[in-house]
Amino acid sequence: MNPTTNALRAGLRRGVIELRATFTNGQDLWTYFFPTVVLLVAVFWMRGSTVPGTDFSLGARTLPSALGMGLLFGGLLGLANQLVIDREDGTLLRAKAIPDGMLGYLVGKIVLVSAVALIGVVIQLTPGLFFLDGLRLGDPGAWLTLAWVVPLGLVATLPLGAVIGSLVENPRNMGLVVMPIFGLIALSGIFYPINGLPGWLQGVAQVFPLYWLGLGMRSALLPGDLAAVELGGSWRHLETVGVLGAWAVLGLVLAPVVLRRMARRESGSRVAARRERAMQRVG
């Protein structure tokens, strides 16, 4: 067995082990269920409102959009957080010291973060089926659309998470990444259609993957008639593939370069300095 194959298998095993550990850790269980409770409460109270120009529940329209948002948070921020934390406590330095250790580490984290994101989608979607009408999970076309939207969304966001996690050294600076994403949520039609926004704001929203993740999930789970209230009056599957694919290519080009640069710079002295700063913050 060559070293690369060995590293891939070790990374897969590591990811599965870390995933199992999330089900026995209170903090990890909180990250599974707290966002789910917040989302379901929100869509429950929105279920009586309707999408403008239709009699369709705004809550039922919001749930698929929020699932797309969850893929972005899970893929991009999930992997970025893992890299930042593991770099500060020396985990990355230890992985670097093992032949092909960085490859195994990254494979493990990708398996973990992807699985957590998918579990989040299932946990959030399942209860919504019991009090929201109109979701078309019984349609085989819905599953076919989910089969390409979800993997493409993860491929578009995971490499970006690796880039961000490689550039941010201090976990406290992750807030600088989260705040712009909250701004994009307001622009990207997650909780309300963006047709009423000025054209330039609609253009800004369509540059980033969040809008297209929400649109792709809506196209999978909502009736075809609801496409009429979207920009362009359709689900725009080709454009969804194009934009998410472009972000995936950009991330896959940048991530190896940034990760190699970050790995080369890691040293015992840098880990010790970060640990010292962390102790000062605690003190």
Side-chain angles (χ1 to χ4, degrees):
M1 184 184 301
N2 63 58
T4 300
T5 302
N6 194 34
L8 292 173
R9 290 189 176 183
L12 179 60
R13 286 196 300 270
R14 175 182 181 143
V16 172
I17 291 170
E18 291 189 356
L19 177 63
R20 283 205 302 262
T22 64
F23 298 111
T24 61
N25 183 289
Q27 184 176 351
D28 290 328
L29 290 174
W30 175 261
T31 62
Y32 279 130
F33 291 105
F34 178 70
T36 300
V37 172
V38 172
L39 172 62
L40 292 178
V41 168
V43 298
F44 178 82
W45 288 109
M46 295 171 68
R47 76 191 192 286
S49 302
T50 58
V51 178
T54 74
D55 58 359
F56 193 81
S57 167
L58 184 60
R61 185 233 178 240
T62 297
L63 182 59
S65 305
L67 297 180
M69 179 182 69
L71 287 176
L72 180 88
F73 272 85
L76 191 152
L77 294 180
L79 187 54
N81 273 318
Q82 292 282 334
L83 283 170
V84 172
I85 293 170
D86 287 348
R87 182 165 47 169
E88 184 171 58
D89 67 13
T91 300
L92 280 177
L93 183 61
R94 293 190 292 272
K96 177 185 172 183
I98 303 171
D100 289 313
M102 282 296 295
L103 175 60
Y105 168 84
L106 286 171
V107 170
K109 291 303 178 184
I110 289 171
V111 170
L112 170 65
V113 170
S114 300
V116 168
L118 293 175
I119 291 170
V121 169
V122 174
I123 291 175
Q124 293 171 8
L125 178 60
T126 303
L129 297 175
F130 293 97
F131 62 86
L132 294 174
D133 296 324
L135 300 176
R136 62 184 194 109
L137 277 179
D139 186 344
W143 293 101
L144 288 174
T145 305
L146 288 173
W148 64 263
V149 170
V150 172
L152 183 58
L154 288 173
V155 174
T157 55
L158 284 168
L160 296 176
V163 171
I164 292 170
S166 300
L167 295 176
V168 177
E169 290 198 14
N170 190 333
R172 300 177 71 182
N173 291 337
M174 282 301 297
L176 300 176
V177 178
V178 174
M179 292 307 296
I181 292 178
F182 282 141
L184 277 177
I185 291 172
L187 296 179
S188 298
I190 299 301
F191 294 102
Y192 204 79
I194 65 171
N195 305 62
L197 294 178
W200 69 274
L201 284 178
Q202 296 177 12
V204 170
Q206 293 175 79
V207 170
F208 297 96
L210 179 56
Y211 170 80
W212 300 98
L213 280 169
L215 180 64
M217 295 299 284
R218 291 195 297 274
S219 73
L221 297 175
L222 298 183
D225 295 345
L226 265 293
V229 304
E230 301 289 345
L231 297 178
S234 73
W235 295 125
R236 298 195 290 172
H237 284 156
L238 289 178
E239 291 90 337
T240 301
V241 172
V243 176
L244 292 180
W247 277 101
V249 170
L250 178 63
L252 291 170
V253 169
L254 289 178
V257 176
V258 177
L259 284 167
R260 281 195 298 268
R261 175 177 174 272
M262 180 267 292
R264 284 197 302 267
R265 295 176 61 192
E266 280 301 291
S267 65
S269 60
R270 293 177 68 90
V271 172
R274 285 195 291 266
R275 186 172 296 148
E276 180 66 24
R277 289 196 298 268
M279 293 298 293
Q280 290 174 356
R281 290 196 300 267
V282 173

